[in-house]
Structures are given as C-alpha cells and as structure tokens.
Amino acid sequence: MARTAESVAVIGAGIAGLATATGLADAGIPVRVYEQAEALGEVGAGVSLAPNSLRVLDSFGLTDRLSEIESREPLRMAFYNHEGVRSEDSEVDARGARPIHRADLIDMLSWRLEPDALRLGARLVGVDENGDGLVLRFADGSTETAAAVIGADGIHSAVRPFVVDAPDPVFSGMIAYRGLVPAERLPDWPIHEAQLYTGPGRHFISFPVRRAKLLNFVAFVAADDEMRESWSAPGDPAELAKEFAGWNESVRGLIDRIDKTFRWGLYDREPLPTWVRGRVALAGDAAHAMLPHVGQGGNQSIEDAAALVEVLRDRPLTEVATAFQEYDRARRERASYIQRFSRRLGLQYDGRHAEFSTTDQLAGREDVMRWIFGHDSALTARQVRAGGPSVSLPTGAAI
C-alpha cells in the first residue's frame, strides 16, 4: 500500500479536480490526483470562463498563462431568433467572459503540478475508512491511503456513493451536438462574438476559441429513444443539418462546414442534501451536475476549488472533517440554485414553458447572471470559516 496518508487525494483530473489540486499545492497542502484515463488528451470543445471563475484563476496565479493561450478581446453576446432576427437589446457585454478550448484549460490547470502528483490509469472502485485515514481501492487491485478525499470524478462519480445516496441522473429530453469549425471556413462570421439562436424545441450557440482560430458550436435538439440512451457518441453532420433545416442562413452555413461532431445526452441531477461525509467531499459534476444552459458547469467547479483551498489552508489535516462542513455551507446552496436555474433556462430557450415548475420561484435572468458573475467563492469560504453566513440567493418572480 502506497504511503500517502498525509496527503489529500483528488479523484478525477477534469476541471474541478485539477483546479482543486493546483490551488491546494499552491497553499502548501500535499495533494495527489488520480485519473482513470491513460492520458489527459484533446477532449471536449469550448468552455466560457466567466468572471466568477476568472477571479479564482487569477488568485491561483494563472491569469498570465491564460493570456498566453487565449485572446484578451472582450466577448460580446448577441441573441437571435431562429429566423436570424437580432434582438433589439441583444448585443451585450459578456461581463468579461473569456472562451477557451477545454483541452487548453486542462493543460493550464495541470501545468504547475509536479509529475508525481498525477497518477493516470487509476480507476477508483471504492473508498474505505481505516482508523485516521482513508483507503482508496483501484480497479487494478492497488490501494493507496489519504488523509482526505475529494471526489471530482463526474456525474457517474465512484466517490459519491460513499458520501450520499442519490437517485439516477435526470434526462432533460434534449441532446447536444458539439464540435469545432476552423474560422477560416466562415470568413464573414463575427469572430469575436458569442451568438445564441433560439427556436421551437431547439437552440444553437457559437463562440470563438484558440484566439478566434476555431468556432465552438453547441446545437441543442430534442432526443428520440436512441439518443436518450447515448451519453456520448459520434454525431452525423447530415442529421444535424436536418434538425436545423429551415433556420436562418448563418446557422445552416456553419452546419454545412462541419466535418465532425459528437452528441451528448443532456443529464443533470437533483441537488444533493449534502456534499460531504467526514473526511470525504464532492466537487464539480460529482456534487452538482448541471445542464449547460447558463454555461456554469466548469465555472462552478472552479468555484469549488477556491472554497476547498480556503477551508483547508493553514489547517492540520486532522481538522479536515470540520473544514469540509464549512465547504458544504459555503458552496452547496449556491450551486444547487444554479442547477435549478440552468434547467429552467433551457426550457425557456426551447419554448417549453409548459414544463416550468409553479413552485420554483427563481429571479429574472439578468438578476441571476449578475449574482453569478459577481460572486467571490474564496471570500465566502473565508467568511463561513470565521463563523459568518454562507450566501444569499436571488429572489423575485420566476423567469
């Protein structure tokens, strides 16, 4: 058994896991990351980093690194209907959001970790308590010990069953086609603008990544029975084109230039009653899997990292259970609200107003977005650690 009992084990080398590991390492806390994949590869497509996560990355000393990868060009957001008619108040400042390719973000977050802080090909199958430590069991039969465990291993988390019983993921009724198109194929596209097109039962989003050399797109459509069972599978550009036949020329023109796409079934979870149990905590999609309609999945994962760093900073690992309770208070209500809001906003975008819950009284979109973007996760965690309140939630009429 490897002797890592004085370290924090982070399960999963996605956005949540790597951001947490980087922050903990910077704070002088021994940390090791375990990832089931054999390599950190070129996976995913675009991610939009919002001010609430950019604040965290700056505190981790990653702003200059981000600027080496992506443009500082301010991102505008424009809204259109499916016929291509631009909303009168559509062109808005995206409040400092910065797009990035997910693979570049993963590379940036892992950049400062020591080589031996990351173990690849390590698929966790269980966590056991062992006196003052925790035992990690892996699929290859190996075990390691840790003083604390942070499960950042996604919606199908192997850590979550140790923390809390949870129902199966909830299918949204929609799937997303995702991919990238070289910007040179679309010379007339407004390259420094994010665009959202909405229409009955579907919507389409695009924004630039890799210094505007690529256009990231996400196309949301209703799922049939076959698609419902697919978490991730190759998509057919011809089928995607059929889904958006009759839409405006800009969307159809972009789709015509797609060579390859993947499709994802869109699932989230109901908010969990707790994220922690003793010396084990959940983060990222393991804690708050959400639909992508507010663009906050990765951003909330980075907020988790900031909060975890603050509750663990300058603290003996013998107090980790107390620290994790503070983390739960600092983060769970806020992320749970954003989970519900993301689900509701997707219904609004696709014109599915009949499915709105009459008891889910969420505030208006602009109020919620200001609340999301203006949050300082590290500050909130420090306040909770000092015995103060967690967060106040937006109130008011439903969107």
Side-chain angles (χ1 to χ4, degrees):
M1 183 181 294
R3 298 188 58 81
T4 57
E6 298 306 314
S7 67
V8 175
V10 175
I11 311 302
I15 294 172
L18 291 173
T20 299
T22 292
L24 292 177
D26 283 355
I29 300 169
V31 61
R32 196 173 192 206
V33 182
Y34 300 87
E35 166 58 40
Q36 67 178 348
E38 296 293 340
L40 301 182
E42 188 88 351
V43 294
V47 176
S48 181
L49 295 173
N52 48 310
S53 66
L54 290 170
R55 199 170 290 120
V56 175
L57 297 178
D58 186 58
S59 73
F60 289 174
L62 292 172
T63 297
D64 289 344
R65 181 71 172 179
L66 174 60
S67 295
E68 292 173 5
I69 298 169
E70 279 293 354
S71 171
R72 289 179 178 267
E73 182 78 21
L75 187 66
R76 301 185 303 272
M77 183 77 189
F79 299 86
Y80 299 80
N81 68 13
H82 68 287
E83 295 176 335
V85 177
R86 192 179 181 109
S87 172
E88 290 183 3
D89 59 351
S90 74
E91 186 172 312
V92 297
D93 185 347
R95 298 177 178 86
R98 297 182 68 178
I100 186 171
H101 194 296
R102 187 181 185 279
D104 295 338
L105 177 58
I106 292 296
D107 181 68
M108 183 180 78
L109 293 174
S110 62
W111 168 55
R112 289 210 308 259
L113 290 178
E114 296 295 331
D116 62 356
L118 176 62
R119 177 183 163 186
L120 298 172
R123 182 169 69 85
L124 186 80
V125 295
V127 180
D128 300 312
E129 293 181 284
N130 179 21
D132 294 332
L134 294 158
V135 178
L136 311 177
R137 291 182 285 108
F138 296 94
D140 63 1
S142 65
T143 61
E144 297 200 12
T145 61
V149 173
I150 297 169
D153 50 342
I155 193 170
H156 298 297
S157 171
V159 179
R160 186 176 48 250
F162 182 89
V163 174
V164 62
D165 290 331
D168 292 337
V170 178
F171 182 57
S172 68
M174 305 292 287
I175 67 161
Y177 287 84
R178 301 186 66 172
L180 299 159
V181 177
E184 62 187 19
R185 297 185 185 178
L186 295 155
D188 297 327
W189 196 273
I191 201 63
H192 294 298
E193 181 177 88
Q195 298 188 347
L196 169 62
Y197 294 84
T198 61
R202 64 207 65 213
H203 59 286
F204 189 96
I205 296 173
S206 73
F207 58 85
V209 295
R210 288 193 171 158
R211 296 187 176 271
K213 293 179 180 178
L214 296 171
L215 275 170
N216 176 76
F217 70 87
V218 191
F220 300 89
V221 304
D224 57 25
D225 289 340
E226 177 190 356
M227 292 176 180
R228 178 188 178 96
E229 299 304 321
S230 172
W231 289 92
S232 175
D236 182 352
E239 290 298 320
L240 176 58
K242 290 179 184 177
E243 294 283 357
F244 286 87
W247 275 48
N248 65 85
E249 185 176 346
S250 293
V251 169
R252 288 187 289 106
L254 189 153
I255 292 172
D256 286 345
R257 288 160 178 81
I258 294 171
D259 292 330
K260 181 172 68 175
T261 181
F262 278 79
R263 65 185 191 189
W264 274 259
L266 296 182
Y267 292 77
D268 64 359
R269 284 189 181 274
E270 297 296 337
L272 298 176
T274 182
W275 291 3
V276 303
R277 176 186 166 191
R279 289 159 292 161
V280 181
L282 303 175
D285 282 355
H288 48 69
M290 63 184 65
L291 297 175
H293 305 304
V294 188
Q296 277 292 306
N299 290 285
Q300 289 303 298
S301 296
I302 294 170
E303 282 195 20
D304 294 343
L308 284 163
V309 171
E310 292 304 320
V311 299
L312 291 170
R313 187 190 300 275
D314 300 324
R315 194 173 208 159
L317 289 177
T318 54
E319 297 180 10
V320 71
T322 299
F324 281 170
Q325 288 291 335
E326 294 165 354
Y327 162 69
D328 188 78
R329 291 199 297 275
R331 291 290 304 135
R332 182 165 50 84
E333 273 196 290
R334 171 174 163 84
S336 296
Y337 186 97
I338 297 171
Q339 281 180 284
R340 297 194 303 272
F341 187 76
S342 298
R343 185 183 291 183
R344 189 179 180 92
L345 199 59
L347 297 177
Q348 184 188 45
Y349 285 158
D350 299 325
R352 297 157 62 191
H353 297 79
E355 299 180 44
F356 283 0
S357 167
T358 58
T359 60
D360 203 7
Q361 293 297 307
L362 300 179
R365 183 181 186 278
E366 286 302 310
D367 292 337
V368 175
M369 298 311 292
R370 280 191 290 271
W371 172 77
I372 290 173
F373 290 164
H375 186 69
D376 187 326
S377 180
L379 175 61
T380 298
R382 290 195 295 270
Q383 291 172 340
V384 170
R385 181 171 174 174
S390 55
V391 295
S392 59
L393 303 180
T395 58
I399 60 173

